[in-house]
Amino acid sequence: MAAPTHADVSDLAGRVVLITGATRGIGLGVARHLGTLGVRVGVTGRKPERVEETAVTLSDVGVDHIARALDVRDGDGTVEMVGAMHERWGRVDGLVANAQSFRPVTPLADVSADDMDLLFDTGPKGTLWSMQAVVPFMRERRWGRIVTMGTALGLTGAAGYGPYAASNEAIRSLTRTAANEWGRDGITVNCVLPASARHRLNPDADADRKAVFDAMYAEHPLGRDGDPEDDIAPVVAFLLSDASRYVTGQTVGVDGGGIMRA
Ligand SMILES: NC(=O)c1ccc[n+]([C@@H]2O[C@H](COP(=O)([O-])OP(=O)(O)OC[C@H]3O[C@@H](n4cnc5c(N)ncnc54)[C@H](OP(=O)(O)O)[C@@H]3O)[C@@H](O)[C@H]2O)c1
């Protein structure tokens, strides 16, 4: 029998990971968490001022990073970003395909072509362009980790979230195809279904809106919202580590069991 290799969850120091949509919420939490583990991160977001704020935040906590304003729809720009990461650090090990734009909650009967285009262009298509940008470098080293983001609303078919839910199910489907196509290159691809929504609640929201938000957790098994850095990011880190090397094509709920309410 071969000697045990002790695949490790703490092997992340020195790795290089692109996180799209990392200027707030889950992406920022993932960037901060990975940074504290010694990962060198490329971070993107749409709004230049938020990208600058993120760069300052990461510098303050000593995270080696490249921050760039980049729309996830821009495939050529993503190739350039990943090229810059490779030029600076000599490797690209991971991708967290996290960016996606949203539209207000809308009944299916009123969904427009623009709504569908925005969700699909920034969801599955943006995820695919990001995957295509990192995979050549991962193939070179025969090692790579890709984590995509989906939503439990895609599984439950939540009313009002049609384009968002459908686009996220397309991301889960791409995740499985990518896992099949790139497994022999040493690349694993998995999808996380997170729940961490408090950062999306406007602090000035009225009492009714806050009550709706709190009610979401009334029957939630763990009874609370997830924290981007302390609840979601550690599972993403596991999926980016060597310890997850026999996990691919999977969907992992990181939602405190919230989906069981459905
Ligand atoms: N939060 C949840 O509970 C939850 C549940 C299920 C799934 N998810 C998924 O998890 C991911 C992150 O969610 P979140 O709540 O953290 O989102 P969020 O708070 O809305 O943050 C989205 C991030 O992505 C960036 N972004 C948005 N559109 C972009 C685009 N077209 N190109 C590049 N960057 C873009 C934003 O940058 P700007 O600020 O510059 O726009 C921001 O940094 C999303 O894919 C979402 O679908 C979240």
mmCIF file of all heavy atoms in Angstrom, residues 114-164:
data_model
loop_
_atom_site.group_PDB
_atom_site.id
_atom_site.type_symbol
_atom_site.label_atom_id
_atom_site.label_comp_id
_atom_site.label_asym_id
_atom_site.label_seq_id
_atom_site.Cartn_x
_atom_site.Cartn_y
_atom_site.Cartn_z
ATOM 1 N N ASP A 114 -33.926 41.771 -20.895
ATOM 2 C CA ASP A 114 -32.763 42.381 -20.229
ATOM 3 C C ASP A 114 -32.471 41.695 -18.900
ATOM 4 O O ASP A 114 -31.318 41.502 -18.529
ATOM 5 C CB ASP A 114 -33.015 43.879 -19.973
ATOM 6 C CG ASP A 114 -32.875 44.691 -21.254
ATOM 7 O OD1 ASP A 114 -32.388 44.124 -22.263
ATOM 8 O OD2 ASP A 114 -33.256 45.874 -21.239
ATOM 9 N N ASP A 115 -33.538 41.357 -18.156
ATOM 10 C CA ASP A 115 -33.340 40.657 -16.874
ATOM 11 C C ASP A 115 -32.613 39.334 -17.114
ATOM 12 O O ASP A 115 -31.634 39.014 -16.429
ATOM 13 C CB ASP A 115 -34.696 40.318 -16.207
ATOM 14 C CG ASP A 115 -35.478 41.547 -15.781
ATOM 15 O OD1 ASP A 115 -34.850 42.595 -15.544
ATOM 16 O OD2 ASP A 115 -36.725 41.454 -15.692
ATOM 17 N N MET A 116 -33.097 38.571 -18.088
ATOM 18 C CA MET A 116 -32.492 37.256 -18.362
ATOM 19 C C MET A 116 -31.038 37.423 -18.813
ATOM 20 O O MET A 116 -30.151 36.696 -18.366
ATOM 21 C CB MET A 116 -33.278 36.499 -19.444
ATOM 22 C CG MET A 116 -34.647 36.030 -19.003
ATOM 23 S SD MET A 116 -34.593 34.922 -17.568
ATOM 24 C CE MET A 116 -34.287 33.337 -18.318
ATOM 25 N N ASP A 117 -30.814 38.407 -19.702
ATOM 26 C CA ASP A 117 -29.449 38.598 -20.221
ATOM 27 C C ASP A 117 -28.483 38.961 -19.099
ATOM 28 O O ASP A 117 -27.383 38.411 -19.019
ATOM 29 C CB ASP A 117 -29.423 39.694 -21.292
ATOM 30 C CG ASP A 117 -30.063 39.223 -22.598
ATOM 31 O OD1 ASP A 117 -30.270 37.999 -22.742
ATOM 32 O OD2 ASP A 117 -30.366 40.081 -23.447
ATOM 33 N N LEU A 118 -28.895 39.883 -18.223
ATOM 34 C CA LEU A 118 -27.983 40.308 -17.156
ATOM 35 C C LEU A 118 -27.610 39.126 -16.261
ATOM 36 O O LEU A 118 -26.441 38.922 -15.928
ATOM 37 C CB LEU A 118 -28.618 41.415 -16.309
ATOM 38 C CG LEU A 118 -27.672 41.938 -15.235
ATOM 39 C CD1 LEU A 118 -26.609 42.856 -15.828
ATOM 40 C CD2 LEU A 118 -28.411 42.660 -14.118
ATOM 41 N N LEU A 119 -28.605 38.346 -15.867
ATOM 42 C CA LEU A 119 -28.326 37.231 -14.953
ATOM 43 C C LEU A 119 -27.492 36.137 -15.612
ATOM 44 O O LEU A 119 -26.588 35.583 -14.985
ATOM 45 C CB LEU A 119 -29.648 36.666 -14.402
ATOM 46 C CG LEU A 119 -30.201 37.321 -13.131
ATOM 47 C CD1 LEU A 119 -29.247 37.068 -11.963
ATOM 48 C CD2 LEU A 119 -30.434 38.807 -13.248
ATOM 49 N N PHE A 120 -27.774 35.855 -16.874
ATOM 50 C CA PHE A 120 -26.994 34.798 -17.552
ATOM 51 C C PHE A 120 -25.609 35.298 -17.978
ATOM 52 O O PHE A 120 -24.638 34.556 -17.941
ATOM 53 C CB PHE A 120 -27.778 34.200 -18.734
ATOM 54 C CG PHE A 120 -28.718 33.123 -18.275
ATOM 55 C CD1 PHE A 120 -29.929 33.443 -17.662
ATOM 56 C CD2 PHE A 120 -28.383 31.782 -18.384
ATOM 57 C CE1 PHE A 120 -30.786 32.445 -17.185
ATOM 58 C CE2 PHE A 120 -29.228 30.784 -17.915
ATOM 59 C CZ PHE A 120 -30.435 31.114 -17.318
ATOM 60 N N ASP A 121 -25.516 36.579 -18.373
ATOM 61 C CA ASP A 121 -24.199 37.108 -18.782
ATOM 62 C C ASP A 121 -23.242 37.179 -17.587
ATOM 63 O O ASP A 121 -22.052 36.909 -17.723
ATOM 64 C CB ASP A 121 -24.336 38.505 -19.406
ATOM 65 C CG ASP A 121 -24.955 38.441 -20.802
ATOM 66 O OD1 ASP A 121 -25.083 37.329 -21.352
ATOM 67 O OD2 ASP A 121 -25.327 39.510 -21.336
ATOM 68 N N THR A 122 -23.758 37.590 -16.420
ATOM 69 C CA THR A 122 -22.867 37.741 -15.259
ATOM 70 C C THR A 122 -22.793 36.458 -14.427
ATOM 71 O O THR A 122 -21.898 36.324 -13.593
ATOM 72 C CB THR A 122 -23.326 38.902 -14.340
ATOM 73 O OG1 THR A 122 -24.631 38.604 -13.825
ATOM 74 C CG2 THR A 122 -23.343 40.220 -15.097
ATOM 75 N N GLY A 123 -23.736 35.515 -14.644
ATOM 76 C CA GLY A 123 -23.735 34.251 -13.891
ATOM 77 C C GLY A 123 -22.963 33.158 -14.623
ATOM 78 O O GLY A 123 -21.728 33.103 -14.567
ATOM 79 N N PRO A 124 -23.662 32.280 -15.334
ATOM 80 C CA PRO A 124 -22.951 31.164 -15.965
ATOM 81 C C PRO A 124 -21.926 31.587 -17.002
ATOM 82 O O PRO A 124 -20.847 30.993 -17.077
ATOM 83 C CB PRO A 124 -24.077 30.337 -16.608
ATOM 84 C CG PRO A 124 -25.293 31.208 -16.619
ATOM 85 C CD PRO A 124 -25.123 32.183 -15.502
ATOM 86 N N LYS A 125 -22.225 32.657 -17.778
ATOM 87 C CA LYS A 125 -21.249 33.042 -18.806
ATOM 88 C C LYS A 125 -19.999 33.643 -18.152
ATOM 89 O O LYS A 125 -18.871 33.254 -18.478
ATOM 90 C CB LYS A 125 -21.880 33.987 -19.832
ATOM 91 C CG LYS A 125 -22.832 33.216 -20.759
ATOM 92 C CD LYS A 125 -23.769 34.104 -21.539
ATOM 93 C CE LYS A 125 -23.165 34.768 -22.737
ATOM 94 N NZ LYS A 125 -24.183 35.527 -23.520
ATOM 95 N N GLY A 126 -20.174 34.522 -17.195
ATOM 96 C CA GLY A 126 -19.026 35.096 -16.486
ATOM 97 C C GLY A 126 -18.216 34.004 -15.788
ATOM 98 O O GLY A 126 -16.980 34.035 -15.792
ATOM 99 N N THR A 127 -18.908 33.050 -15.189
ATOM 100 C CA THR A 127 -18.228 31.932 -14.518
ATOM 101 C C THR A 127 -17.394 31.152 -15.523
ATOM 102 O O THR A 127 -16.238 30.793 -15.260
ATOM 103 C CB THR A 127 -19.281 31.018 -13.845
ATOM 104 O OG1 THR A 127 -19.916 31.759 -12.796
ATOM 105 C CG2 THR A 127 -18.653 29.765 -13.259
ATOM 106 N N LEU A 128 -17.967 30.900 -16.708
ATOM 107 C CA LEU A 128 -17.240 30.133 -17.728
ATOM 108 C C LEU A 128 -16.020 30.900 -18.235
ATOM 109 O O LEU A 128 -14.937 30.325 -18.370
ATOM 110 C CB LEU A 128 -18.179 29.778 -18.887
ATOM 111 C CG LEU A 128 -17.531 28.988 -20.027
ATOM 112 C CD1 LEU A 128 -16.884 27.692 -19.529
ATOM 113 C CD2 LEU A 128 -18.546 28.680 -21.125
ATOM 114 N N TRP A 129 -16.170 32.217 -18.474
ATOM 115 C CA TRP A 129 -15.005 32.991 -18.953
ATOM 116 C C TRP A 129 -13.894 32.957 -17.892
ATOM 117 O O TRP A 129 -12.709 32.859 -18.228
ATOM 118 C CB TRP A 129 -15.354 34.443 -19.301
ATOM 119 C CG TRP A 129 -16.571 34.672 -20.152
ATOM 120 C CD1 TRP A 129 -17.409 35.758 -20.089
ATOM 121 C CD2 TRP A 129 -17.101 33.836 -21.197
ATOM 122 N NE1 TRP A 129 -18.423 35.632 -21.006
ATOM 123 C CE2 TRP A 129 -18.276 34.474 -21.701
ATOM 124 C CE3 TRP A 129 -16.743 32.618 -21.748
ATOM 125 C CZ2 TRP A 129 -19.055 33.932 -22.721
ATOM 126 C CZ3 TRP A 129 -17.530 32.059 -22.768
ATOM 127 C CH2 TRP A 129 -18.651 32.717 -23.238
ATOM 128 N N SER A 130 -14.278 33.021 -16.624
ATOM 129 C CA SER A 130 -13.264 32.976 -15.552
ATOM 130 C C SER A 130 -12.590 31.612 -15.521
ATOM 131 O O SER A 130 -11.361 31.515 -15.373
ATOM 132 C CB SER A 130 -13.908 33.268 -14.192
ATOM 133 O OG SER A 130 -14.537 34.530 -14.199
ATOM 134 N N MET A 131 -13.372 30.552 -15.661
ATOM 135 C CA MET A 131 -12.788 29.202 -15.688
ATOM 136 C C MET A 131 -11.803 29.074 -16.844
ATOM 137 O O MET A 131 -10.696 28.556 -16.686
ATOM 138 C CB MET A 131 -13.889 28.148 -15.887
ATOM 139 C CG MET A 131 -14.783 27.875 -14.704
ATOM 140 S SD MET A 131 -16.019 26.660 -15.271
ATOM 141 C CE MET A 131 -16.861 26.291 -13.751
ATOM 142 N N GLN A 132 -12.233 29.557 -18.017
ATOM 143 C CA GLN A 132 -11.369 29.424 -19.203
ATOM 144 C C GLN A 132 -10.049 30.176 -19.015
ATOM 145 O O GLN A 132 -9.011 29.763 -19.539
ATOM 146 C CB GLN A 132 -12.093 29.942 -20.443
ATOM 147 C CG GLN A 132 -13.213 29.020 -20.908
ATOM 148 C CD GLN A 132 -13.957 29.573 -22.121
ATOM 149 O OE1 GLN A 132 -13.839 30.760 -22.450
ATOM 150 N NE2 GLN A 132 -14.752 28.736 -22.770
ATOM 151 N N ALA A 133 -10.098 31.279 -18.259
ATOM 152 C CA ALA A 133 -8.874 32.072 -18.058
ATOM 153 C C ALA A 133 -7.883 31.352 -17.144
ATOM 154 O O ALA A 133 -6.668 31.472 -17.325
ATOM 155 C CB ALA A 133 -9.239 33.444 -17.471
ATOM 156 N N VAL A 134 -8.368 30.618 -16.135
ATOM 157 C CA VAL A 134 -7.438 30.002 -15.167
ATOM 158 C C VAL A 134 -6.982 28.599 -15.568
ATOM 159 O O VAL A 134 -5.886 28.165 -15.193
ATOM 160 C CB VAL A 134 -8.047 29.938 -13.735
ATOM 161 C CG1 VAL A 134 -8.296 31.330 -13.188
ATOM 162 C CG2 VAL A 134 -9.319 29.080 -13.680
ATOM 163 N N VAL A 135 -7.818 27.888 -16.309
ATOM 164 C CA VAL A 135 -7.537 26.464 -16.556
ATOM 165 C C VAL A 135 -6.201 26.196 -17.261
ATOM 166 O O VAL A 135 -5.500 25.251 -16.871
ATOM 167 C CB VAL A 135 -8.741 25.799 -17.264
ATOM 168 C CG1 VAL A 135 -8.335 24.535 -18.004
ATOM 169 C CG2 VAL A 135 -9.794 25.464 -16.223
ATOM 170 N N PRO A 136 -5.774 26.999 -18.249
ATOM 171 C CA PRO A 136 -4.477 26.693 -18.872
ATOM 172 C C PRO A 136 -3.336 26.681 -17.864
ATOM 173 O O PRO A 136 -2.447 25.827 -17.926
ATOM 174 C CB PRO A 136 -4.288 27.835 -19.889
ATOM 175 C CG PRO A 136 -5.671 28.305 -20.177
ATOM 176 C CD PRO A 136 -6.461 28.119 -18.919
ATOM 177 N N PHE A 137 -3.363 27.601 -16.878
ATOM 178 C CA PHE A 137 -2.285 27.653 -15.876
ATOM 179 C C PHE A 137 -2.383 26.467 -14.909
ATOM 180 O O PHE A 137 -1.373 25.971 -14.417
ATOM 181 C CB PHE A 137 -2.338 28.976 -15.113
ATOM 182 C CG PHE A 137 -2.068 30.160 -16.003
ATOM 183 C CD1 PHE A 137 -3.065 31.074 -16.297
ATOM 184 C CD2 PHE A 137 -0.807 30.338 -16.561
ATOM 185 C CE1 PHE A 137 -2.812 32.165 -17.126
ATOM 186 C CE2 PHE A 137 -0.542 31.422 -17.398
ATOM 187 C CZ PHE A 137 -1.548 32.330 -17.686
ATOM 188 N N MET A 138 -3.604 26.049 -14.629
ATOM 189 C CA MET A 138 -3.785 24.892 -13.735
ATOM 190 C C MET A 138 -3.313 23.608 -14.423
ATOM 191 O O MET A 138 -2.673 22.763 -13.813
ATOM 192 C CB MET A 138 -5.264 24.769 -13.342
ATOM 193 C CG MET A 138 -5.754 25.917 -12.493
ATOM 194 S SD MET A 138 -7.504 25.745 -12.126
ATOM 195 C CE MET A 138 -7.743 27.117 -10.998
ATOM 196 N N ARG A 139 -3.632 23.506 -15.693
ATOM 197 C CA ARG A 139 -3.203 22.319 -16.462
ATOM 198 C C ARG A 139 -1.676 22.204 -16.454
ATOM 199 O O ARG A 139 -1.132 21.123 -16.346
ATOM 200 C CB ARG A 139 -3.687 22.422 -17.907
ATOM 201 C CG ARG A 139 -5.124 21.989 -18.064
ATOM 202 C CD ARG A 139 -5.462 21.961 -19.544
ATOM 203 N NE ARG A 139 -6.669 21.204 -19.781
ATOM 204 C CZ ARG A 139 -7.564 21.524 -20.686
ATOM 205 N NH1 ARG A 139 -7.392 22.588 -21.453
ATOM 206 N NH2 ARG A 139 -8.625 20.788 -20.853
ATOM 207 N N GLU A 140 -1.028 23.374 -16.588
ATOM 208 C CA GLU A 140 0.436 23.409 -16.627
ATOM 209 C C GLU A 140 1.029 22.728 -15.400
ATOM 210 O O GLU A 140 2.001 22.006 -15.482
ATOM 211 C CB GLU A 140 0.835 24.895 -16.606
ATOM 212 C CG GLU A 140 2.034 25.293 -17.400
ATOM 213 C CD GLU A 140 2.091 26.823 -17.396
ATOM 214 O OE1 GLU A 140 2.502 27.442 -16.380
ATOM 215 O OE2 GLU A 140 1.689 27.408 -18.420
ATOM 216 N N ARG A 141 0.411 22.967 -14.225
ATOM 217 C CA ARG A 141 0.942 22.407 -12.970
ATOM 218 C C ARG A 141 0.208 21.131 -12.570
ATOM 219 O O ARG A 141 0.492 20.552 -11.531
ATOM 220 C CB ARG A 141 0.802 23.441 -11.845
ATOM 221 C CG ARG A 141 1.632 24.685 -12.070
ATOM 222 C CD ARG A 141 1.278 25.752 -11.053
ATOM 223 N NE ARG A 141 1.556 25.319 -9.696
ATOM 224 C CZ ARG A 141 2.717 25.476 -9.084
ATOM 225 N NH1 ARG A 141 3.706 26.056 -9.704
ATOM 226 N NH2 ARG A 141 2.884 25.066 -7.853
ATOM 227 N N ARG A 142 -0.771 20.742 -13.378
ATOM 228 C CA ARG A 142 -1.597 19.556 -13.089
ATOM 229 C C ARG A 142 -2.213 19.618 -11.693
ATOM 230 O O ARG A 142 -2.301 18.626 -10.961
ATOM 231 C CB ARG A 142 -0.790 18.258 -13.285
ATOM 232 C CG ARG A 142 -0.226 18.130 -14.705
ATOM 233 C CD ARG A 142 0.075 16.719 -15.105
ATOM 234 N NE ARG A 142 -1.097 15.829 -15.056
ATOM 235 C CZ ARG A 142 -2.091 15.839 -15.938
ATOM 236 N NH1 ARG A 142 -2.106 16.713 -16.937
ATOM 237 N NH2 ARG A 142 -3.088 14.988 -15.813
ATOM 238 N N TRP A 143 -2.648 20.808 -11.310
ATOM 239 C CA TRP A 143 -3.291 21.013 -10.007
ATOM 240 C C TRP A 143 -4.143 22.271 -10.097
ATOM 241 O O TRP A 143 -3.665 23.328 -10.528
ATOM 242 C CB TRP A 143 -2.242 21.204 -8.909
ATOM 243 C CG TRP A 143 -2.769 20.961 -7.514
ATOM 244 C CD1 TRP A 143 -2.663 19.816 -6.795
ATOM 245 C CD2 TRP A 143 -3.485 21.894 -6.679
ATOM 246 N NE1 TRP A 143 -3.266 19.964 -5.565
ATOM 247 C CE2 TRP A 143 -3.779 21.230 -5.466
ATOM 248 C CE3 TRP A 143 -3.925 23.213 -6.834
ATOM 249 C CZ2 TRP A 143 -4.472 21.825 -4.420
ATOM 250 C CZ3 TRP A 143 -4.627 23.815 -5.789
ATOM 251 C CH2 TRP A 143 -4.891 23.121 -4.600
ATOM 252 N N GLY A 144 -5.398 22.167 -9.705
ATOM 253 C CA GLY A 144 -6.244 23.356 -9.682
ATOM 254 C C GLY A 144 -7.500 23.113 -8.881
ATOM 255 O O GLY A 144 -7.961 21.972 -8.733
ATOM 256 N N ARG A 145 -8.047 24.210 -8.358
ATOM 257 C CA ARG A 145 -9.292 24.140 -7.578
ATOM 258 C C ARG A 145 -10.216 25.265 -8.054
ATOM 259 O O ARG A 145 -9.805 26.440 -8.043
ATOM 260 C CB ARG A 145 -9.010 24.339 -6.087
ATOM 261 C CG ARG A 145 -8.142 23.269 -5.451
ATOM 262 C CD ARG A 145 -8.960 21.990 -5.219
ATOM 263 N NE ARG A 145 -8.179 20.978 -4.572
ATOM 264 C CZ ARG A 145 -7.448 20.061 -5.220
ATOM 265 N NH1 ARG A 145 -7.368 20.067 -6.533
ATOM 266 N NH2 ARG A 145 -6.790 19.137 -4.543
ATOM 267 N N ILE A 146 -11.418 24.899 -8.443
ATOM 268 C CA ILE A 146 -12.394 25.908 -8.858
ATOM 269 C C ILE A 146 -13.625 25.767 -7.971
ATOM 270 O O ILE A 146 -14.155 24.658 -7.803
ATOM 271 C CB ILE A 146 -12.770 25.734 -10.347
ATOM 272 C CG1 ILE A 146 -11.533 25.970 -11.225
ATOM 273 C CG2 ILE A 146 -13.907 26.683 -10.728
ATOM 274 C CD1 ILE A 146 -11.746 25.687 -12.712
ATOM 275 N N VAL A 147 -14.046 26.889 -7.395
ATOM 276 C CA VAL A 147 -15.268 26.910 -6.581
ATOM 277 C C VAL A 147 -16.231 27.894 -7.236
ATOM 278 O O VAL A 147 -15.882 29.061 -7.458
ATOM 279 C CB VAL A 147 -14.967 27.345 -5.129
ATOM 280 C CG1 VAL A 147 -16.259 27.396 -4.319
ATOM 281 C CG2 VAL A 147 -13.957 26.396 -4.474
ATOM 282 N N THR A 148 -17.419 27.421 -7.583
ATOM 283 C CA THR A 148 -18.448 28.292 -8.144
ATOM 284 C C THR A 148 -19.485 28.585 -7.056
ATOM 285 O O THR A 148 -19.485 27.937 -6.010
ATOM 286 C CB THR A 148 -19.126 27.615 -9.350
ATOM 287 O OG1 THR A 148 -19.751 26.403 -8.902
ATOM 288 C CG2 THR A 148 -18.129 27.286 -10.450
ATOM 289 N N MET A 149 -20.350 29.561 -7.318
ATOM 290 C CA MET A 149 -21.418 29.900 -6.363
ATOM 291 C C MET A 149 -22.783 29.693 -7.019
ATOM 292 O O MET A 149 -23.036 30.223 -8.106
ATOM 293 C CB MET A 149 -21.311 31.368 -5.924
ATOM 294 C CG MET A 149 -20.117 31.672 -5.068
ATOM 295 S SD MET A 149 -20.291 30.997 -3.400
ATOM 296 C CE MET A 149 -18.601 31.209 -2.836
ATOM 297 N N GLY A 150 -23.615 28.945 -6.355
ATOM 298 C CA GLY A 150 -24.997 28.786 -6.795
ATOM 299 C C GLY A 150 -25.920 29.277 -5.697
ATOM 300 O O GLY A 150 -25.479 29.903 -4.741
ATOM 301 N N THR A 151 -27.204 28.991 -5.844
ATOM 302 C CA THR A 151 -28.144 29.392 -4.794
ATOM 303 C C THR A 151 -29.157 28.284 -4.523
ATOM 304 O O THR A 151 -29.621 27.613 -5.456
ATOM 305 C CB THR A 151 -28.894 30.686 -5.158
ATOM 306 O OG1 THR A 151 -29.881 30.933 -4.146
ATOM 307 C CG2 THR A 151 -29.611 30.595 -6.497
ATOM 308 N N ALA A 152 -29.513 28.160 -3.258
ATOM 309 C CA ALA A 152 -30.558 27.207 -2.886
ATOM 310 C C ALA A 152 -31.884 27.571 -3.560
ATOM 311 O O ALA A 152 -32.735 26.706 -3.788
ATOM 312 C CB ALA A 152 -30.725 27.191 -1.368
ATOM 313 N N LEU A 153 -32.039 28.858 -3.922
ATOM 314 C CA LEU A 153 -33.286 29.289 -4.573
ATOM 315 C C LEU A 153 -33.462 28.594 -5.924
ATOM 316 O O LEU A 153 -34.579 28.448 -6.415
ATOM 317 C CB LEU A 153 -33.295 30.810 -4.766
ATOM 318 C CG LEU A 153 -33.167 31.650 -3.489
ATOM 319 C CD1 LEU A 153 -33.175 33.129 -3.829
ATOM 320 C CD2 LEU A 153 -34.287 31.316 -2.506
ATOM 321 N N GLY A 154 -32.340 28.171 -6.515
ATOM 322 C CA GLY A 154 -32.408 27.413 -7.771
ATOM 323 C C GLY A 154 -33.009 26.036 -7.550
ATOM 324 O O GLY A 154 -33.725 25.514 -8.404
ATOM 325 N N LEU A 155 -32.719 25.443 -6.399
ATOM 326 C CA LEU A 155 -33.259 24.114 -6.099
ATOM 327 C C LEU A 155 -34.729 24.203 -5.681
ATOM 328 O O LEU A 155 -35.533 23.345 -6.013
ATOM 329 C CB LEU A 155 -32.457 23.458 -4.963
ATOM 330 C CG LEU A 155 -31.187 22.714 -5.357
ATOM 331 C CD1 LEU A 155 -30.110 23.655 -5.861
ATOM 332 C CD2 LEU A 155 -30.633 21.929 -4.175
ATOM 333 N N THR A 156 -35.055 25.274 -4.936
ATOM 334 C CA THR A 156 -36.421 25.358 -4.408
ATOM 335 C C THR A 156 -37.371 26.040 -5.392
ATOM 336 O O THR A 156 -38.583 25.949 -5.236
ATOM 337 C CB THR A 156 -36.441 26.160 -3.091
ATOM 338 O OG1 THR A 156 -35.956 27.492 -3.344
ATOM 339 C CG2 THR A 156 -35.574 25.498 -2.030
ATOM 340 N N GLY A 157 -36.819 26.746 -6.397
ATOM 341 C CA GLY A 157 -37.683 27.440 -7.355
ATOM 342 C C GLY A 157 -38.430 28.596 -6.721
ATOM 343 O O GLY A 157 -39.627 28.801 -6.964
ATOM 344 N N ALA A 158 -37.712 29.375 -5.924
ATOM 345 C CA ALA A 158 -38.353 30.458 -5.167
ATOM 346 C C ALA A 158 -39.091 31.442 -6.080
ATOM 347 O O ALA A 158 -38.522 31.913 -7.073
ATOM 348 C CB ALA A 158 -37.299 31.189 -4.348
ATOM 349 N N ALA A 159 -40.321 31.757 -5.719
ATOM 350 C CA ALA A 159 -41.125 32.706 -6.495
ATOM 351 C C ALA A 159 -40.442 34.070 -6.519
ATOM 352 O O ALA A 159 -39.918 34.525 -5.504
ATOM 353 C CB ALA A 159 -42.517 32.833 -5.885
ATOM 354 N N GLY A 160 -40.435 34.692 -7.695
ATOM 355 C CA GLY A 160 -39.873 36.041 -7.839
ATOM 356 C C GLY A 160 -38.408 36.059 -8.220
ATOM 357 O O GLY A 160 -37.864 37.101 -8.556
ATOM 358 N N TYR A 161 -37.761 34.897 -8.132
ATOM 359 C CA TYR A 161 -36.313 34.844 -8.387
ATOM 360 C C TYR A 161 -35.986 34.060 -9.667
ATOM 361 O O TYR A 161 -34.914 33.479 -9.783
ATOM 362 C CB TYR A 161 -35.589 34.201 -7.205
ATOM 363 C CG TYR A 161 -35.604 35.034 -5.942
ATOM 364 C CD1 TYR A 161 -36.646 34.905 -5.018
ATOM 365 C CD2 TYR A 161 -34.595 35.943 -5.679
ATOM 366 C CE1 TYR A 161 -36.670 35.667 -3.854
ATOM 367 C CE2 TYR A 161 -34.604 36.711 -4.522
ATOM 368 C CZ TYR A 161 -35.650 36.566 -3.612
ATOM 369 O OH TYR A 161 -35.658 37.319 -2.475
ATOM 370 N N GLY A 162 -36.912 34.010 -10.631
ATOM 371 C CA GLY A 162 -36.758 33.154 -11.807
ATOM 372 C C GLY A 162 -35.415 33.262 -12.519
ATOM 373 O O GLY A 162 -34.685 32.268 -12.631
ATOM 374 N N PRO A 163 -35.030 34.449 -13.021
ATOM 375 C CA PRO A 163 -33.767 34.548 -13.768
ATOM 376 C C PRO A 163 -32.553 34.207 -12.903
ATOM 377 O O PRO A 163 -31.623 33.545 -13.357
ATOM 378 C CB PRO A 163 -33.728 36.028 -14.196
ATOM 379 C CG PRO A 163 -35.154 36.471 -14.156
ATOM 380 C CD PRO A 163 -35.806 35.707 -13.051
ATOM 381 N N TYR A 164 -32.595 34.654 -11.658
ATOM 382 C CA TYR A 164 -31.477 34.388 -10.738
ATOM 383 C C TYR A 164 -31.360 32.879 -10.480
ATOM 384 O O TYR A 164 -30.272 32.287 -10.583
ATOM 385 C CB TYR A 164 -31.735 35.157 -9.436
ATOM 386 C CG TYR A 164 -30.720 34.928 -8.342
ATOM 387 C CD1 TYR A 164 -29.376 35.243 -8.534
ATOM 388 C CD2 TYR A 164 -31.106 34.425 -7.100
ATOM 389 C CE1 TYR A 164 -28.447 35.049 -7.524
ATOM 390 C CE2 TYR A 164 -30.189 34.232 -6.082
ATOM 391 C CZ TYR A 164 -28.861 34.548 -6.298
ATOM 392 O OH TYR A 164 -27.947 34.344 -5.293
#
